[in-house]
Amino acid sequence: MSASLNYPKAVSIVEVGPRDGLQNESAPLSTGDKVALVEGLVDAGLRYVETGSFVNPRWIPQMADSGDVFQQIARVPDVTYAALTPNLKGFDRAMDAGASEVAVFAAASESFSQRNINCSISESIERFLPVMEAAKTSGVKVRGYVSCVLGCPYEGEIAPAAVLKVSQALLDMGCYEISLGDTIGTGTPGSMDTLLNALVPSLTAGRLALHCHNSYGQALANLLVGLQYGIRRIDSSVAGLGGCPYATGASGNVATEDVVYMLQGMGIQTGVNLNALVNVGTDCCKKLGRETQSAVAKARG
Ligand code: HMG
Ligand code: MG
């Protein structure tokens, strides 16, 4: 690779398939199959798996059994089994289930915030305060998501300044990292460049991760821009599962198989065994009765 681009030796992958993927699948997956999915992902080498969420089960019925999933998985040391928690009730449920760490989720768009978590951006920050307090007391790390960083299904374009403001607020309240969500996958290398140019100087690349949905097929290109800015953490979903229930038309995250294939080709380590990962994705898609969204898995038949 060109030395001037300064790519890293290793990148860590945040596997979000069991949460972001399955939360939007119409076919239900049994608790046992979810447990097998998480265990398969860890066996394939993933070291951070977002295993479920503790939200209102009336809003997201697919995640209603997250507590059982957390309790039934055979844990591997040094693996982070993370949970999404919108409020203190969610945090308490996550702790009862034995989540290793939690994530709070805000948005850079007011309309999306209302549709997704039923409150304004500033109200959401207030709701997170007791979560941050409780997490600090329990010694639990908190990740912060910001949705709609490159576009909103209700408001269209989002100003980088809006993303900067909410990201800074989450970091200030104690999140160790911000995952920048291109929730509807409309971003391009151009808009990603503009966003990171506005964010990286003050927030620093080491505190940012990228979470790209692949609706417009731009995710890998967008991630490459992120790598060039020094970002070393990438969220992805095995088989490109899922989407967002509050973002019509949004497809799943970029497929983990495709991210691993690209990084391997660049000589960047991920610790993931690609063949094993493809098998996990194929097996899960069979159970869901859907086609994989991973180009790598499709090419390998
Ligand atoms: P609300 O209705 O405003 O909450 O919902 P509330 O505090 O008024 O409570 C209403 C009811 O919900 C009560 O029950 C609470 O107990 C219950 P009732 O008294 O009516 O029987 N409740 C809960 N139950 C279980 N666990 C909880 C919980 N909290 C309240 N934690 C709330 C607010 C946030 C709860 C709701 O809007 C919700 O659950 N939303 C789900 C949002 C969600 O999961 N969206 C998908 C994930 S975000 C995403 O995908 C984007 C991301 O991937 C990044 C990207 O791509 O951009 C992260
Ligand atoms: Mg997402």
Side-chain angles (χ1 to χ4, degrees), residues 92-106:
D92 289 341
R93 290 176 61 209
M95 291 302 100
D96 286 347
S100 329
E101 69 172 58
V102 300
V104 293
F105 49 110

Side-chain angles (χ1 to χ4, degrees), residues 19-20 23 145 183 211 213 243-244 253:
R19 191 282 302 172
D20 202 346
Q23 78 181 7
Y145 278 104
T183 316
H211 178 106
H213 286 257
C244 179
N253 292 86

